[in-house]
């Protein structure tokens, strides 16, 4: 790390100075008797491997050169300086000076810029470009505080960094690595200026990453066409025409995600009393982001439509086309009667009853006309709420350290099929054996920041000829040899729960114990310790750990 270490000693009485050593090696200058007030220094060579004693401001050759041990070179131990005094001597050691190996970061940054394309749209994101961008970022770290405060990153580097981070997401080896890469890209994206965020290269990268998120981490919303089969109250003159599928009159409400091209119900008023109620099928509107349908009235006279206690009246001089939207518990009917253009004035707003919203009762629409009329309701569309269920990825913690037991090796293929309902199958495991008496041992999992995860879980198996006890976080569970010993361990919201999965190999079962983990385990500064105690030959296996994380799109 260092290329130079300076210190000095000042001999006020050379006759009283005996042997001088550096790290136990004799480096005593010659002819010290009678040579008072001499100033020496010790420096390391450019490799930091050798220490050299020389006299300051002297043209003579080095007085001594010793090879330093590795523990001094790497800084785990200090360099020792020892003086043997044979008489009165004052020895001074001056301040310590260290100089890092020099790195011409400015030249490095200029060299990298010369090797990169001049325009952002020329970047390909190949490994060579990524390596150059990463090297540039490293060189930036060497700037002085003053330089950093006045530094403006070149536009080409801004774009190249964006491309490199995007490629890291695309080329990730597994889901865990990909999640980390997405987070890194999001952080970089947030740091960009408004102009850079609006650039074509940034938007293209954002689109590419959001496609990955859509496909792997977030369910897309989708439009469903329901088999809308309302019932018609015919007691007041309305007739159910029974026309559930009739194409035509298409093109209405085209701005609302889809075109209404199929009428699913038609009713006519053919007697002197032109009143009737249409009741839609029961539907859980609370489970949808929004629900909407078209409503049309063809009439020779005036009419009124009532929904949820609210009414809208119109005369025969207008066309009668409406859009009905149900969202967040509120129904809104919009007048779409003029030139069949979507939008227009809101004619009804009403909060629907709980039994309609939760699907225990159908939505009733009351029509009242004063002349022959016909009413139609288009197919209903509902947009599902996004599925925010976390997607699982493998957290590579399946190589714990073993103490007190024989480590039988890790990453064996086998033990597949356990806990398959928990998003993924456990396919690899770590094994330890207990061959000697006593049959005790511990496994310490690799440290993991559980606080950053929605949940983490793994399988735990014990194959034993006798009885056993498993202890985690101060909580224990004991079992006898008459049972199989399969468990699922879940860590969520700071709490570890171990579930008995020993009966017939089925997932689920009773919780054996629940324990709040220590802060150092939850934040990843310490590994989770699992203690095993058996009274006969045994072996234990821990499956690969799976983690869940909710992901939203990159901004």
């Amino acid at each position: 790390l260092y290329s130079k270490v300076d210190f000095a000693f000042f001999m006020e009485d050379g006759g009283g100075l005996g042997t001088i050593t550096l790290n136990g090696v004799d480096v005593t200058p010659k002819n010290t008797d009678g040579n008072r007030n001499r100033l020496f220094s010790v420096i390391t060579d450019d490799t930091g491997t050798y220490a050299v004693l020389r006299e300051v401001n002297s043209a003579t050759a080095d007085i001594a050169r010793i090879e330093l041990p590795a523990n001094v070179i790497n800084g785990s131990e200090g360099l020792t300086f020892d003086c043997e005094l044979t008489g009165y001597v004052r020895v001074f050691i001056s301040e310590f000076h260290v100089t890092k190996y020099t790195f011409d970061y400015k030249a490095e940054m200029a060299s990298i810029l010369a090797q990169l394309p001049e325009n952002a749209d020329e970047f390909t994101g190949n490994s060579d470009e990524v390596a150059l961008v990463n090297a540039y970022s490293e060189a930036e770290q060497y700037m002085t505080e003053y330089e950093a405060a006045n530094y403006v990153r070149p536009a080409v580097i801004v774009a190249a960094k964006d491309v490199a981070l995007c490629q890291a997401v695309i080329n990730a080896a597994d889901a865990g690595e990909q999640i980390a890469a997405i987070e890194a890209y999001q952080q970089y994206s947030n740091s960009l200026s408004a102009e850079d965020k609006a650039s074509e290269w940034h938007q293209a990268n954002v689109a590419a990453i959001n496609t990955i998120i859509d496909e792997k981490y977030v369910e897309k919303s989708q439009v469903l066409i329901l088999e809308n089969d309302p019932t018609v109250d015919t007691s007041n003159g309305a007739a159910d025409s029974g026309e559930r599928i009739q194409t035509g009159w298409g093109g209405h409400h085209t701005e609302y995600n889809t075109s209404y091209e199929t009428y699913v119900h038609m009713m006519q008023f053919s007697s002197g009393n032109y009143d009737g109620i249409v009741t839609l099928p029961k539907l859980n509107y609370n489970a949808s982001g929004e629900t909407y349908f078209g409503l049309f009235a063809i009439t020779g006279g005036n009419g009124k439509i009532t929904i949820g206690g609210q009414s809208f009246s119109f005369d025969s001089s207008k066309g009668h086309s409406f859009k009905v939207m149900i969202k967040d518990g509120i129904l809104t009917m919009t007048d779409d009667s003029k030139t069949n253009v979507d939008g227009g004035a809101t004619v009804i707003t009403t909060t629907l009853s709980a039994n309609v919203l939760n699907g225990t009762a159908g939505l009733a629409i009351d029509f009242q006309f004063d002349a022959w009329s016909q009413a139609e309701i288009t197919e209903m569309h509902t947009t599902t709420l996004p599925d925010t269920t976390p997607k699982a990825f493998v957290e590579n913690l399946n190589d714990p350290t073993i103490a007190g037991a024989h480590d039988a090796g890790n990453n064996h293929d086998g033990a597949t099929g356990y806990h398959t309902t928990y998003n993924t199958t456990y396919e690899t495991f770590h094994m330890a054996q207990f061959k000697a008496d006593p049959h005790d041992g511990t496994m310490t999992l690799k440290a993991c920041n559980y606080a950053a995860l929605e949940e983490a879980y793994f399988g735990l198996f014990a194959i034993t000829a006798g009885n056993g006890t498993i202890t985690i976080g101060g909580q224990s569970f004991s079992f006898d040899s008459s049972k199989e010993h399969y468990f699922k361990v879940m860590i969520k919201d700071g709490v570890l729960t171990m579930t008995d999965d020993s009966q017939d190999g089925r997932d689920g079962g009773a919780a054996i114990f629940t324990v709040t983990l220590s802060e150092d385990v939850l934040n990843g500064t310490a590994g989770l310790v699992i203690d095993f105690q058996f009274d006969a030959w045994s072996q234990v296996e821990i499956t690969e750990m799976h983690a869940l994380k909710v992901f939203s799109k990159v901004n």
Side-chain angles (χ1 to χ4, degrees), residues 434 439 462-468 479-483 485 534-539:
F434 302 84
H439 306 278
I463 303 168
T464 177
N467 305 318
F479 50 87
D480 59 44
S481 58
S482 65
K483 295 181 180 179
H485 318 292
F534 301 103
D535 60 12
W537 181 94
S538 305
Q539 87 182 22

Side-chain angles (χ1 to χ4, degrees), residues 45-321:
D45 68 346
D46 288 342
T47 66
T49 304
Y50 290 90
V52 179
L53 177 69
R54 61 178 53 153
E55 188 165 1
V56 176
N57 298 325
S58 172
T60 59
D62 296 338
I63 296 172
R65 178 183 174 90
I66 67 167
E67 186 173 2
L68 297 174
N71 56 359
V72 173
I73 294 172
N74 64 28
S76 60
E77 290 188 14
L79 182 68
T80 62
F81 174 76
D82 184 47
C83 295
E84 179 189 10
L85 306 181
T86 60
Y88 174 78
V89 177
R90 293 172 63 189
V91 178
F92 303 88
I93 297 181
S94 71
E95 64 259 61
F96 229 72
H97 294 258
V98 294
T99 305
K100 287 187 177 181
Y101 282 125
T102 57
F103 174 57
D104 192 346
Y105 56 91
K106 293 182 179 179
E108 178 77 0
M109 293 162 71
S111 173
I112 292 171
L113 281 175
Q115 298 176 64
L116 290 171
E118 293 184 4
N119 300 315
D121 56 6
E122 296 177 7
F123 283 102
T124 64
N126 61 48
S127 58
D128 290 339
E129 288 177 352
V130 170
L132 286 171
V133 173
N134 290 337
Y136 190 94
S137 297
E138 286 294 322
E140 286 178 320
Q141 305 308 309
Y142 286 87
M143 291 189 296
T144 66
E145 191 173 324
Y146 175 79
E147 288 173 330
N150 296 275
Y151 173 69
V152 177
R153 179 176 282 173
V156 66
I157 292 295
V158 174
K161 183 75 171 179
D162 200 284
V163 173
L165 290 171
C166 178
Q167 285 301 310
V169 175
I170 295 171
N171 299 329
D174 54 45
E177 183 179 307
Q178 191 166 65
I179 284 174
I182 292 173
E183 290 175 336
Y185 185 87
Q186 176 72 81
Q187 184 177 8
Y188 185 74
S189 176
N190 291 341
S191 72
L192 296 178
S193 66
E195 182 180 358
D196 288 333
K197 287 181 179 179
S199 64
E200 291 185 8
W201 48 265
H202 180 66
Q203 291 300 313
N205 292 335
V206 166
I209 293 175
N210 281 338
T211 297
I212 292 173
I213 294 174
D214 275 341
E215 293 175 351
K216 297 182 67 175
Y217 302 108
V218 178
E219 285 288 329
K220 296 178 182 178
S221 298
Q222 55 184 328
V223 174
L224 304 176
I225 300 177
L226 304 182
E227 293 182 0
N228 219 350
D229 190 8
T231 57
V232 178
D233 180 358
T234 60
S235 61
N236 287 320
D240 185 347
S241 299
E243 298 181 10
R244 298 298 184 263
I245 300 176
Q246 179 189 16
T247 59
W249 291 71
H252 299 294
H253 307 297
T254 55
E255 297 300 316
Y256 294 98
N257 299 350
T258 52
S259 298
Y260 295 95
E261 295 180 351
T262 304
Y263 302 114
V264 294
H265 186 86
M266 180 184 290
M267 71 173 184
Q268 292 181 345
F269 300 85
S270 55
S271 67
N273 190 352
Y274 305 99
D275 298 340
I277 296 175
V278 174
T279 303
L280 301 187
K282 299 174 183 178
L283 177 67
N284 183 4
Y285 298 102
N286 294 326
S288 300
E290 63 182 31
T291 305
Y292 56 93
F293 56 90
L295 192 157
F296 309 102
I298 303 169
T299 178
N302 303 320
K304 181 170 72 172
I305 299 174
T306 302
I307 306 176
Q310 299 293 316
S311 300
F312 175 68
S313 299
F314 51 87
D315 60 44
S316 58
S317 65
K318 297 180 181 179
H320 316 293
S321 303

Side-chain angles (χ1 to χ4, degrees), residues 175-176 179 217 390-397 422-424 426 448-450 452-458 491 544-550:
I179 284 174
Y217 302 108
K391 304 301 183 289
F393 64 95
V394 175
E395 183 77 14
N396 294 319
L397 302 180
Y422 293 100
N423 298 352
T424 49
Y426 296 96
C448 175
N449 184 3
Y450 299 105
L453 301 174
E454 183 75 8
E455 64 182 45
Y457 56 92
F458 57 90
I491 301 171
E544 59 202 10
M545 179 176 286
H546 293 247
L548 303 181
K549 191 163 190 175
V550 176

